[in-house]
Structures are given as structure tokens and as C-alpha cells.
Amino acid sequence: MSLPNTLYLPELREMLAENNAAELREFCTALHPARTADFMEGLTPAEAWAVLQYAEMPVRAEIFGYFDRDKQVEIIRSVDRKAMAEFIAHLPPDDRVDILNEVEPQLVADLLPLLPPAERRDILRLRSYPENTAGAMMTTQFARLGEDLTVREALDELGRQASELETIYYIYILDSQDHLRGLVSARQLVSAIGRPETRLADLMEKELVTANVNDDQEEVARKVARYDLLAIPVVDQERHMLGIITHDDVIDVVVEEASEDAYHMGGVTPLAMNYLETRFLTVWRKRAGWLSLLFVAELFTFTALASFEDAIAQIIALSLFVPLCISTGGNSGSQAATLITRAIALGQVTVRDWWRVLRHELAMGLALGATLGAIGFFRAALTPQEILGSVNHWQLAWVISQAVAVICLWGTLTGSMLPLIFKRFGVDPGFASSPFVATLVDVTGIVIYFSIAKAYLL
Amino acid sequence: MSLPNTLYLPELREMLAENNAAELREFCTALHPARTADFMEGLTPAEAWAVLQYAEMPVRAEIFGYFDRDKQVEIIRSVDRKAMAEFIAHLPPDDRVDILNEVEPQLVADLLPLLPPAERRDILRLRSYPENTAGAMMTTQFARLGEDLTVREALDELGRQASELETIYYIYILDSQDHLRGLVSARQLVSAIGRPETRLADLMEKELVTANVNDDQEEVARKVARYDLLAIPVVDQERHMLGIITHDDVIDVVVEEASEDAYHMGGVTPLAMNYLETRFLTVWRKRAGWLSLLFVAELFTFTALASFEDAIAQIIALSLFVPLCISTGGNSGSQAATLITRAIALGQVTVRDWWRVLRHELAMGLALGATLGAIGFFRAALTPQEILGSVNHWQLAWVISQAVAVICLWGTLTGSMLPLIFKRFGVDPGFASSPFVATLVDVTGIVIYFSIAKAYLL
């Protein structure tokens, strides 16, 4: 996957130059559409579009669906609008909305009037749901039947619907006003094949796990994972069925959220694109922007230290422990933040649990602080007297161990509470593990350390 | 989800005390098995087992499958062995192996002889695959048919198999030696219902995406996500079909790997258990162990600084920039490490790309270093003369900007190369984002900073 698939590029280009319809048609259909898309990676948008013309419409849409988002957008930009509108009408409803969301508004405005009315309405409706909600994730294509059908009639009807649908593994039973009444799985239907006159109403499950159209996508992903579902129906407040979210989109959300969390922790604005393929300047801008912000924030450590310059001038040994004190706060803070952020992501902790978390982390911070303080005490006590100057090394050990313990407690409390506070105000709790918070703890760590040192030594 | 579901506990216990079979049977079947399991969360293992006796075997196994792993293990420990062996035979093959892997070897040795021979062999075989491979993830239950069957015969046969199988959405076509020949989806089968005499050989897809039994679970998860599969067949070198891995197990792997990565980055040994439910001492041991290690490693910053004590004594202002220099290395290092680790996880970069990555990060490190160096220059130039003592502030600015630039470059190179080196030697690349590496960069940052300062100022 790491090397672009350039193996077949010369052959593909030759086939195109020769208008070799037979071989191009063979190329488009012989492999899994995802692998076909991989082999087309090196083609220009115009070439890729030319190759796609040799595939039947459903396969064409499938191969297109496996292209990178960037390539999809470029193709949409470069192709004749009428041809593109016809093609877009054949894409899965959720995918085409995702793609159109990345295209310039003007181009979308040009394309929409060229679409068949049903597809146009569908696109406008799906685009109206806020980002990261179930509504924005769902597709409006699903298998639907009435409850009065028999198993035999249902199978015949499905045989007609199947070719147009992304998935028929769950069949939704709706009444005439589109209220969700129940669900029959393809497995149940096939199992009932020996009793062809059974009515769906007697076969269907009525206790369904559903998602509300306004639910957050993370919550939906959690439900699908918890209940091992292939797809989850999306309903509104009145239980009208609006669409389904399928397992493959859920995997994408889980991967996306994991990447986002990691990027926050690592101090990188999410790079939506491929690492080695993104332009140097784009990457530099994002990385430098983030690092510069952190650098400017970290300048406050200088300000904090400068205000204790008199103390350092009197006892130079104090300055030698600054990195240790700072890193203690950073490490204990990011540890606590990671645990709480993951616990939130896995649904084990919610904002309402803040008091339980606070009590837990208060006790934990004290225990951890005592542990580190003890280690710090012994190390500081071993400091050679010539470095210490006028200070007694037991005194110094006492100061260091207290400072380490207090900073560890402070880091633990900050790290555990910030994710919950962020979550409460609608900010991604993952930011609490970010270096910004580490910077906050760094500066406060310096103040705590020198305040304790001054109280005992000066 | 955060509060234990204690709502129905008194009612459930009353039903048990009264042997109220009708209501207990209703409780076991009315809801989705996952929700039934949620409501049983507060019961003791013995009570949970007693309630399960009121469910038919397939539902009983399903509800059990949604219990926490800990509870499953406790139930296995506490129940009569003969009854447990009978029950285990009805669990899905992949789940029962996962559970038995958490039980004491002696108990497993006691249970195995009580199992029917076919199930015993199956368990022993699945347990022989190394952890985190496709073999250890797969289930051996899948729908299989011969290629000579017609659509009508296939539907009849499936109707018989369906009730025993976890999934029938993909039907695998095997020859008499169990070689994988092709695949027919339930959707294709239902679409062909109007042509009941079609042979499966003419319907099946032959170009299949498969996993090798020795493949790493992350690689399998990536394939399933890339190809939007419901399940992937697992084969050996000779293309004998051994089992399938289903989409729900893939989601679990993705979530598990994301948690592991986050824990590494946050400096927490993976806590397999629920945050608020794990015992305080267990959590303390894991967290304190990790923090203490980091603390001891960070003690080297003291040693490094102490060796430059003479420089600090001469120019106290130098000590004020130590946290800034250290954090520059840490931030640029963890940024690069995060990007490369994610790129590896998403399959965009492999170890063989190390040279391309190195060149890219060398250029990027220089660009980023120049950016931060410039900011550092201006800030240092603004330092009030009374803090600086004998040092000229332009001189100091020059030293700081050079040190920041070199440390940024060094952090970027270290952060980008370590994940690849770790990967090369079979270590999880996520460790490169961990605080251990930050500590390494901290210590070297101090040495770089003071070496530059000494060269110019002393």
C-alpha cells in the first residue's frame, strides 16, 4: 500500500490511447472494485474518468467510491457537468453528500439543478443535518417491506429491490406513514423458507436498537459496536424511519476518531491527507502553526522562572531540579487525561460522574505524589555538597519531595478534570491530553516549586 | 451506561426467590440480548447463571456473550463443570476460545475432556494460533455450500443451516477438500430467486479478498475496512478455508488498537478494565509504576544540568531558558512521532520508506527549526538587561535561536525515526510517542543548549 500502484499505469495508458474497449472493460470488472481503484491511483482525473466509462454504471460508481476523497473531488471538478450530474445520481446517497461537502458551493449549485428531482431533494435533505450527527452519516437507501407480505412475497419483492440497494441483510418493516414497525433479517427470511405463507408481522423483531437523527456519530458507533449490528436504523422523534448507517461507515468513524485523538495528543492539527503525498508547504504550515503556538505558550515558563531569579541567584542548585519538577506535572497530567479521555470515549464515564472522578483522582494523586516524592527525597539527599553550597542536603531533599508530591497531585487533578470540563462545553476532550495543557502544568509547576523552596530555604 | 443498571435488580432477585419462571423467561427474551445483559450487570455470577437457565440455549449463549469478560470468567469458575462444558459447546467458536484464554489452565484442562470431541478439537486448534493473528481472531462457523447446487437447493440448504450460524450473509463455496473456490452473497442469492435453476458455480465471485491465518490482526482490520467487508475468509497457504472474521470483531480490534496507542502516548500501561470499576490498588500499581519509571529517567535531566552548573553560576539567565529549550524538543518530537505512527497505522508508510521519511523530516525539521528559532530570537532579544548581567542581549538571542533550531531539528528527526525503528524490531511504534522518548529528548536538549551557550558566551 505504501508504494503507489504504478505497475499497470503504462498498460492502462496504452489501452486508453488505443481505445481498447475489450481490455479496459476486463480491467474494470476482473478485480474487487477497491483493488481496481488502487491500480488507478497514478492516473490523472481525466484518465481515470476515461477508464471508468468502460464499466457498467453500478461498477463505475463502486470503483469511484474507493478513490481518495481528493481524487473524487478533482474528477467532479474536471468532468462535464451534465455527465457528472447523471453519474452523481447513481452514487450511494451518503457518499455523494460527503463528496459534495468538499466541493466549492458554486459547483454544487451548478450541479444540483441538473440532477433528477428525487436525488436533488435527497441531497438537500442530507446536507441539512449538522456534521458528525447520525443524520449526516446515514444513507437513505434501505430495504423496506410492508408487514402484510408473506415470506414468499417478500423474497420475490427483495429479488427485485436487491440490485439497487447497498445492503439487504436487514429488511425494515414500515407502515404506510413510514413509521418503523420492525425488522426481519435476511437470515430469518431464509430460515423461514420452508414456511412460505408466514406473514412478516409474525416474523419480525419489534424491540429494535435505533439511532436518533441528531445523535452524535461517536455515540452511534458505540451502539453499533456494543450490539454487534450490521446497520442501525435512523429515526426522528416520531419514529419515522429516515435512513440507515452501515457497519463500514461505523468503522470509518472509529478510525477517524482514533486518528483525531492521536493528533490532538501529539499536537498536530488533523492532516486529512496522506502523509507522504501531502504538499510540503501544507504540512509545514500546519505543523509550524501548532509548534509556534506551543512555543509562544511555553515562553511563559521563562516569565515564571525570571520572577524567581533572585532565589536561583542565591541557591543555584534549585535551578537544576526545574526540568524534573516540570516533567512530573506533565507526565502525571497526561496520564490522568489519557485515562479519562479514553474512559469517556468508551462510554465508561460521563460528565455527570465528575464528582466520583474527582474523589478518585484526589486519592490517586495523593498516593502517586507520595510515591514520587519518596523517590525525589532520596535522590535529592544524594546531591553532592559542593553543588549545594550553603544549603543543607536534608533541607533540599525535603523541599524537592514536597514540591514533587504537590505538583504530581496538581497534574493529576488538572489532567482528570479538564477532559470532563471540555466535554461539558462541547470541546473534544482529547484536547486535554494536548501539549497546551502540559504547558499550563509546566508554568504552574514552576510557581509551586519555587514557592515551596522560598518558604523553606530563603 | 455510566451508572450500573441497578434498576431491575430487586425485581430480578424477587423473581429468582419465587422461582417465577414465566416472568424470568419473559425478561430473558423481551429485549435485545445486549440490553438484557446490561440489566443483569449487578447480579452475582451465581444469580446471573440462575437467570440464564430460563432462556433457551441460543439466547442464553447470546446474553452471556454480552457480559463483561470478567463476569464471564467468574461464571465459568463458579458453575458445576459438567453443566459448564455443555454450555461452552454452544458458544461461538471464537468467543469461547477468547474466554478460555483468560481462565486458569487447570480449569481449562478439567473442562476440555467434558466437551464433545468436535468442539474440543476446534478449541485446541484455535488456541494454537499466536495471539493477535487472524487465526486467533477467526470463528470456524460459516455457511458453506458446494458449487454444484442450484439457487433453489442452496436456499433450502441454507434454511437448514441458518439457525446454527452467526452469519449467513456471505456463503462460501468450497470443494471436497475444503479449498475456497468462491463466494455468493445472500443478496446475490435472493436476487437470483427468479432463476432458481442457476448453479452457484455460475453465480459465485471468484476474485476474493482473503486473510492468511498468520496475518496480523491490524492488517486484517485494515483490509476489512478498505474493502467494506462484512466478513473476510481466513485461509492457509494452500487456500484451505479455515474460518471467517466478522465485522464486529474487526470493530473491536480497531477500538482496542486505538486505546492501546492512546495509553502508550499517555504513559499508562493498558488498563484492560473499566476505569471506575477497577480496584484502586491495581490502578495505583500500574500508574505509579509507569510514573516512577519516567521520574527516574527524568532524573538524568538533573545530572545533565549539574554538569553545566559552572555555566549557570556565571550566567544565571541561561537557566531561565531551560524549560523552553526542553519543551521545544519534546513538542517537535511528539508531533513527528504522532504523524509517523498514525501513517504506519493507516498503512501509508512502511519501514521500507525510512529513507523517504528521513529526507522529508530533515527538510521539515530545518523549516520548523528556522520558524521557532526566529520567534526565540525576538523573545530573547527583549530580555531586560538587569536579568542578563554581563551578557549582551543580542548575543543571548543568537544563542537561544540557534539552540531552539537545533533542538527542534533533533526532536523532529528522533520523533520520526523511532516509530520506524521500533516497528522494524517488532515493538509497537506507538511507544515512540510515549514520555520515555520525550525524556530522551529532554536530556539531549539540555546538552545541546548548554554546548551552544558555552561555545558563544564562556
Side-chain angles (χ1 to χ4, degrees):
Chain A
M1 277 229 231
S2 67
L3 294 169
N5 287 291
T6 51
L7 228 67
Y8 285 82
L9 282 191
E11 281 89 335
L12 270 176
R13 291 200 166 119
E14 210 183 298
M15 292 181 212
L16 272 178
E18 295 170 356
N19 268 321
N20 190 335
E23 286 198 15
L24 282 166
R25 225 171 278 140
E26 167 74 13
F27 169 79
C28 287
T29 52
L31 301 168
H32 189 288
R35 299 203 55 206
T36 311
D38 286 343
F39 282 121
M40 292 170 71
E41 212 181 303
L43 294 179
T44 66
E47 287 171 335
W49 182 249
V51 171
L52 285 183
Q53 301 316 303
Y54 292 90
E56 300 282 323
M57 189 54 94
V59 178
R60 192 187 301 176
E62 270 195 89
I63 299 174
F64 183 84
Y66 286 107
F67 286 157
D68 284 346
R69 186 54 43 90
D70 289 346
K71 182 164 214 157
Q72 294 173 334
V73 170
E74 276 185 79
I75 292 179
I76 290 189
R77 281 199 196 117
S78 59
V79 170
D80 165 68
R81 299 209 172 151
K82 219 162 188 172
M84 185 39 70
E86 201 205 318
F87 178 65
I88 287 174
H90 287 87
L91 291 177
D94 50 346
D95 290 353
R96 69 183 169 211
V97 169
D98 291 345
I99 300 170
L100 287 179
N101 282 341
E102 312 253 331
V103 174
E104 299 73 28
Q106 184 54 49
L107 180 49
V108 178
D110 290 350
L111 283 168
L112 278 176
L114 303 172
L115 282 161
E119 274 74 18
R120 184 169 59 233
R121 271 198 306 274
D122 191 71
I123 290 175
L124 288 173
R125 191 153 62 86
L126 285 181
R127 273 165 70 94
S128 70
Y129 296 111
E131 224 190 328
N132 297 336
T133 62
M137 250 179 112
M138 71 186 182
T139 181
T140 46
Q141 272 180 353
F142 53 90
R144 59 174 84 194
L145 294 174
E147 55 188 319
D148 289 331
L149 294 185
T150 64
V151 166
R152 186 201 310 274
E153 291 165 338
L155 279 168
D156 287 345
E157 175 60 29
L158 269 187
R160 279 189 289 275
Q161 290 188 21
S163 62
E164 284 169 26
L165 296 171
E166 202 180 324
T167 158
I168 62 149
Y169 306 115
Y170 292 149
I171 301 129
Y172 299 92
I173 312 297
L174 308 188
D175 67 15
S176 55
Q177 276 95 47
D178 282 354
H179 291 107
L180 177 59
R181 302 270 298 146
L183 177 155
V184 174
S185 72
R187 171 172 146 177
Q188 286 172 305
L189 210 56
V190 168
S191 301
I193 223 161
R195 298 165 282 136
E197 300 307 325
T198 314
R199 281 172 64 246
L200 295 188
D202 301 324
L203 208 60
M204 72 187 184
E205 287 183 41
K206 289 171 201 138
E207 283 291 337
L208 300 187
V209 180
T210 61
N212 187 284
V213 69
N214 297 315
D215 284 351
D216 184 81
Q217 62 174 8
E218 268 192 89
E219 204 181 310
V220 175
R222 214 145 56 208
K223 255 190 200 166
V224 172
R226 168 67 182 152
Y227 293 101
D228 293 343
L229 302 174
L230 286 174
I232 191 168
V234 179
V235 296
D236 65 12
Q237 308 301 344
E238 289 88 36
R239 218 177 156 79
H240 290 110
M241 172 124 180
L242 303 175
I244 60 170
I245 295 171
T246 51
H247 67 103
D248 47 322
D249 293 327
V250 168
I251 291 190
D252 292 345
V253 166
V254 171
V255 172
E256 184 193 314
E257 301 276 351
S259 288
E260 244 178 53
D261 287 354
Y263 288 140
H264 289 163
M265 291 175 74
V268 201
T269 341
L271 285 164
M273 291 160 276
N274 191 309
Y275 168 70
L276 277 174
E277 287 168 15
T278 311
R279 278 176 54 226
F280 188 84
L281 260 178
T282 314
V283 179
W284 172 79
R285 214 177 45 236
K286 293 198 178 194
R287 289 173 68 168
W290 199 248
L291 280 184
S292 302
L293 261 173
L294 288 173
F295 189 78
V296 170
E298 200 69 39
L299 283 170
F300 285 103
T301 58
F302 169 78
T303 316
L305 268 179
S307 71
F308 293 105
E309 209 213 356
D310 51 337
I312 299 175
Q314 283 183 54
I315 309 167
I316 289 186
L318 283 181
S319 73
L320 309 183
F321 289 96
V322 167
L324 186 68
C325 289
I326 286 183
S327 69
T328 300
N331 289 336
S332 56
S334 82
Q335 184 182 70
T338 305
L339 278 175
I340 303 300
T341 306
R342 276 320 285 176
I344 294 175
L346 298 175
Q348 298 168 352
V349 160
T350 67
V351 174
R352 285 178 308 164
D353 296 317
W354 72 273
W355 177 238
R356 288 176 72 195
V357 173
L358 182 64
R359 271 184 316 173
H360 186 273
E361 290 301 304
L362 188 65
M364 187 59 72
L366 287 169
L368 293 174
T371 316
L372 298 190
I375 303 176
F377 184 86
F378 287 110
R379 181 63 187 86
L382 292 175
T383 317
Q385 194 62 49
E386 68 265 24
I387 293 184
L388 294 184
S390 62
V391 184
N392 177 303
H393 66 283
W394 291 118
Q395 261 184 312
L396 181 76
W398 181 234
V399 166
I400 299 296
S401 68
Q402 266 193 57
V404 164
V406 174
I407 291 170
C408 177
L409 172 63
W410 165 245
T412 302
L413 290 180
T414 314
S416 57
M417 286 300 108
L418 277 178
L420 293 172
I421 294 171
F422 284 3
K423 177 84 184 173
R424 171 69 188 75
F425 291 102
V427 180
D428 189 322
F431 274 113
S433 313
S434 81
F436 275 112
V437 175
T439 301
L440 170 71
V441 179
D442 281 0
V443 175
T444 45
I446 290 173
V447 175
I448 292 173
Y449 169 45
F450 279 101
S451 304
I452 292 177
K454 275 178 119 167
Y456 282 93
L457 301 178
L458 299 179
Chain B
M1 278 229 231
S2 66
L3 294 170
N5 287 291
T6 50
L7 229 66
Y8 285 82
L9 283 190
E11 280 89 335
L12 270 175
R13 292 201 165 119
E14 208 183 300
M15 292 181 212
L16 272 178
E18 295 170 356
N19 269 321
N20 190 334
E23 286 199 14
L24 282 166
R25 224 171 277 139
E26 167 75 13
F27 169 78
C28 287
T29 52
L31 301 167
H32 189 289
R35 299 202 56 208
T36 312
D38 286 343
F39 281 122
M40 291 170 71
E41 213 180 303
L43 293 181
T44 66
E47 287 170 336
W49 182 250
V51 171
L52 284 183
Q53 301 316 303
Y54 291 91
E56 300 283 322
M57 189 54 94
V59 178
R60 192 188 301 178
E62 271 196 89
I63 299 173
F64 183 83
Y66 286 107
F67 286 157
D68 284 347
R69 186 53 43 89
D70 289 347
K71 183 166 215 157
Q72 293 173 333
V73 169
E74 275 186 79
I75 292 180
I76 290 188
R77 282 200 195 116
S78 60
V79 170
D80 166 66
R81 297 206 175 154
K82 220 162 187 168
M84 185 39 69
E86 202 205 317
F87 178 65
I88 286 175
H90 287 87
L91 292 177
D94 50 345
D95 290 353
R96 68 183 169 210
V97 169
D98 291 345
I99 300 170
L100 287 179
N101 281 340
E102 312 251 331
V103 173
E104 299 75 28
Q106 184 55 49
L107 180 50
V108 178
D110 291 350
L111 283 167
L112 278 177
L114 302 173
L115 283 161
E119 274 74 17
R120 183 169 60 230
R121 271 197 306 275
D122 191 73
I123 291 175
L124 287 173
R125 191 153 63 86
L126 285 181
R127 273 165 70 95
S128 70
Y129 296 112
E131 224 189 327
N132 298 335
T133 62
M137 251 179 111
M138 71 186 181
T139 180
T140 46
Q141 272 181 353
F142 54 89
R144 60 174 85 193
L145 294 173
E147 56 187 320
D148 289 330
L149 293 185
T150 64
V151 166
R152 186 203 309 277
E153 291 166 338
L155 280 168
D156 287 345
E157 175 60 28
L158 270 187
R160 279 189 290 275
Q161 290 187 23
S163 61
E164 285 169 24
L165 296 172
E166 202 179 324
T167 157
I168 61 150
Y169 306 115
Y170 292 151
I171 300 129
Y172 299 93
I173 313 296
L174 307 188
D175 67 14
S176 55
Q177 276 95 48
D178 281 355
H179 291 107
L180 176 60
R181 302 269 299 146
L183 175 154
V184 174
S185 70
R187 170 173 146 179
Q188 285 173 304
L189 210 56
V190 168
S191 301
I193 223 160
R195 299 165 281 137
E197 300 307 323
T198 314
R199 281 173 63 245
L200 296 189
D202 301 323
L203 207 60
M204 71 185 184
E205 287 183 41
K206 288 172 201 137
E207 284 290 336
L208 301 187
V209 180
T210 60
N212 186 285
V213 68
N214 297 315
D215 284 351
D216 185 81
Q217 63 174 7
E218 268 192 89
E219 205 180 307
V220 175
R222 214 142 59 206
K223 255 188 200 169
V224 171
R226 169 67 181 150
Y227 293 102
D228 294 342
L229 303 174
L230 287 174
I232 191 168
V234 180
V235 297
D236 65 12
Q237 308 301 344
E238 289 88 36
R239 219 178 156 78
H240 291 108
M241 173 127 180
L242 302 175
I244 60 170
I245 294 170
T246 52
H247 67 102
D248 48 323
D249 293 327
V250 168
I251 292 190
D252 293 345
V253 166
V254 172
V255 172
E256 185 193 314
E257 300 276 350
S259 288
E260 248 179 49
D261 287 355
Y263 288 140
H264 288 163
M265 291 175 73
V268 201
T269 341
L271 285 164
M273 291 159 276
N274 192 308
Y275 167 71
L276 277 174
E277 286 168 15
T278 310
R279 279 176 52 225
F280 188 84
L281 260 178
T282 312
V283 179
W284 172 79
R285 215 177 44 235
K286 294 199 178 196
R287 289 173 69 168
W290 199 250
L291 281 184
S292 303
L293 261 173
L294 289 173
F295 188 78
V296 170
E298 201 68 40
L299 282 171
F300 285 102
T301 58
F302 169 77
T303 316
L305 270 179
S307 70
F308 293 105
E309 209 212 356
D310 50 337
I312 300 175
Q314 283 183 53
I315 310 166
I316 287 184
L318 284 182
S319 73
L320 308 183
F321 290 96
V322 168
L324 187 68
C325 289
I326 286 184
S327 69
T328 301
N331 289 336
S332 56
S334 82
Q335 185 182 72
T338 304
L339 278 175
I340 303 300
T341 306
R342 275 321 285 175
I344 294 176
L346 298 175
Q348 298 168 351
V349 159
T350 69
V351 173
R352 284 177 310 164
D353 296 316
W354 72 271
W355 177 239
R356 289 176 71 195
V357 174
L358 182 64
R359 272 183 315 175
H360 187 272
E361 291 301 303
L362 189 65
M364 187 58 73
L366 286 169
L368 294 174
T371 316
L372 297 190
I375 304 176
F377 184 87
F378 288 110
R379 181 63 187 86
L382 293 175
T383 317
Q385 193 62 49
E386 69 265 24
I387 292 184
L388 294 183
S390 61
V391 184
N392 177 303
H393 67 284
W394 292 116
Q395 261 185 311
L396 181 77
W398 181 234
V399 165
I400 297 297
S401 68
Q402 267 194 57
V404 164
V406 174
I407 291 171
C408 178
L409 173 62
W410 165 244
T412 303
L413 291 180
T414 316
S416 56
M417 286 298 109
L418 277 178
L420 294 172
I421 294 172
F422 284 2
K423 178 81 183 174
R424 170 70 188 74
F425 291 102
V427 180
D428 189 322
F431 275 112
S433 312
S434 80
F436 275 111
V437 176
T439 301
L440 170 72
V441 179
D442 281 0
V443 175
T444 46
I446 290 174
V447 174
I448 292 173
Y449 169 45
F450 278 101
S451 304
I452 293 177
K454 274 178 115 169
Y456 283 92
L457 301 178
L458 298 181

